[in-house]
Amino acid sequence: MLGNMMKRHLNTSEILKFAEEIHGARTVVSALNKNIRHSITYREMAARCRKLANALERLGVTFGDRAATLAWNGSRHLELYYAISGIGAVCHTINPRLSAEQMVYIINHAQDRLVFIDTDLVPIISAIVDQLDDEITYVILCEVNEMPEHGLPNALCYEALIQQETSEYIWCDLDEDIACSLCYTSGTTGDPKGVLYSHRSTVLHAFSTILAFPNVFQAGVKILPVVPLFHVNAWGIPYTAPLVGAEIVFPGRNLDGASLYDLMNDTGVSSAWGVPTIWISLLDEIAKRGSIPEGLRHVVIGGAAASGQMIETFETLGVDVAHSWGMTEMSPIGSSGQLFLPESDLPMNEMLELKKTQGRRVFGVEMKLIDDNGDKVAHDGDGVGELYVRGNAIISEYFENPEATANAIDLEGWFGTGDVAKIDEAGYLTITDRAKDLIKSGGEWISSLDIENLAMSHPDITNCAAIGAYDPKWDERPILIVVARDGIKPDIKSIFDIIGSNLAKWQVPDDVVFVSSLPMTATGKISKLKLRERFWYHLHSKPV
Ligand code: AMP
């Protein structure tokens, strides 16, 4: 028997409407340049989103069309999130740090009709425009008098575009299962894979994130997403903050410790979210200045493992740390390290032990561990296995990529994360290793395979393996382990040249190490685990 409740769909535009009506005077602050900050209320922003919706429709954007963004964290980018999805189109966020080759691939794979670009990122698109569809319309995110030299066909100015529109627009009740946004994540095969979020998954993810971080999500609290809007929806903050009436402070493009410190201090940020690399530079700045930014109370650390030392330093400074784990494929929050009573009242040393784990699953995410034989591993704090997840904000398939889907989803419909973990009886998750062949540097993926494929095209290399090595700032940096042909080492520069020809600069390994042979697993694959054990401290010695 069905229930008798109304069927109103879960839509992202409902969040915007709610924020406008209930929290309309709350602000979104965006750092533009050093000391120049732009402020807009949710009420004003909602009106601009309606204008933008009219503009998009005038440009012919319709249901299911993809409109891409190449932009830093700022309020215009947030407007794009809501307006594009609100008219039933799909907001495709692009990571500006991708190599030209990867960017061409994803824009073409997504079949983007429009690309919205921040002014300083325009040269990235100008350089590849010949390899993109002629029909794409480019919109530069600036005022009329700020239009840069662009060399792009069909380039429009964002402010001119929306200025001519009326702010009358009625968001329709879209089927909640239609797509609202798209984000590509790097795969082991090299080609990025698309993750297509629905309105339903996005709204449900926002609800469960708010439940998982109750100390953070309160009206009036200022939240700083250092995590980019181009990386998995800035961990959902574009949706969670407006829902509870929290204010957003966007950092723009300057993410160094000093800029972040000043921004937090001046605007009274109390909760900041980002990857460990960001917090290393902020902690350096805090040490220099002798105090934390005024008002800072919480940091959420995710995207890569936070070290025990980092967590302890923040806690000693009086900043509550929630160490969390998640994935692009999970919208992304999978677990939260926010402690509740009675654990939050434990003595510091006991509390730290819990905070060093990746926390506990959030509502809507189920977890199972599977060992090498395909058997389930008990959640007893000892057993280790590959972590599988399922839930209403987790992918059921990759966007138009059946091969990647087949590799990722098991026969029971669970998604294999490629992370190796243990879970204790109280539900605390600890990520112990990574089964997938990727390197994560400063929160961004580098494909080992891409590096290896390029290196193998060098005539003097017979075999090689790219692995992550410990780096105090970036968590990991890639290094390349090489077996030279006939034992004669080629010039290292010639190896860097080959790799650098096709990868972004930050994806090129920091060092090349020559070995006589590579360790193999029982199944004849190169044992990355053994290489990681041996070379983990190759670039930097173990921290004391
Ligand atoms: P992404 O899809 O780029 O957000 O990356 C997701 C992956 O980052 C996970 O599968 C993990 O390998 C890694 N990751 C994310 N958060 C953590 C964490 N707190 N500790 C360890 N690894 C993490």
Side-chain angles (χ1 to χ4, degrees), residues 21 74 109 115 152 170 197 386 406 492 507:
E21 283 172 35
H109 187 263
V115 183
L152 298 171
I170 296 175
Y197 308 98
E386 186 180 343
I492 289 193
Q507 295 172 322

Side-chain angles (χ1 to χ4, degrees), residues 231 303-305 323-328 358 419 434 436 440 445:
H231 190 162
H323 182 199
S324 294
W325 167 89
M327 295 183 73
T328 306
Q358 273 78 3
D419 287 320
R434 197 182 293 151
K436 51 198 167 196
K440 201 164 202 193
W445 289 118

Side-chain angles (χ1 to χ4, degrees), residues 184-186 195 197 231-232 235 275-276 301-306 323-330 332 335 356-359 415 417-420 429-436 438 440 443-445:
Y184 281 75
T185 179
S186 293
V195 176
Y197 308 98
H231 190 162
V232 64
W235 298 352
V275 296
I301 311 179
H323 182 199
S324 294
W325 167 89
M327 295 183 73
T328 306
E329 290 89 335
M330 300 175 68
S335 71
K356 286 177 196 168
T357 71
Q358 273 78 3
F415 169 70
T417 65
D419 287 320
V420 179
L429 167 79
T430 302
I431 304 290
T432 57
D433 198 7
R434 197 182 293 151
K436 51 198 167 196
L438 288 164
K440 201 164 202 193
E444 303 287 347
W445 289 118

Side-chain angles (χ1 to χ4, degrees), residues 56-67:
L56 289 167
E57 290 193 347
R58 188 165 49 81
L59 289 173
V61 180
T62 182
F63 259 50
D65 280 348
R66 269 77 75 193

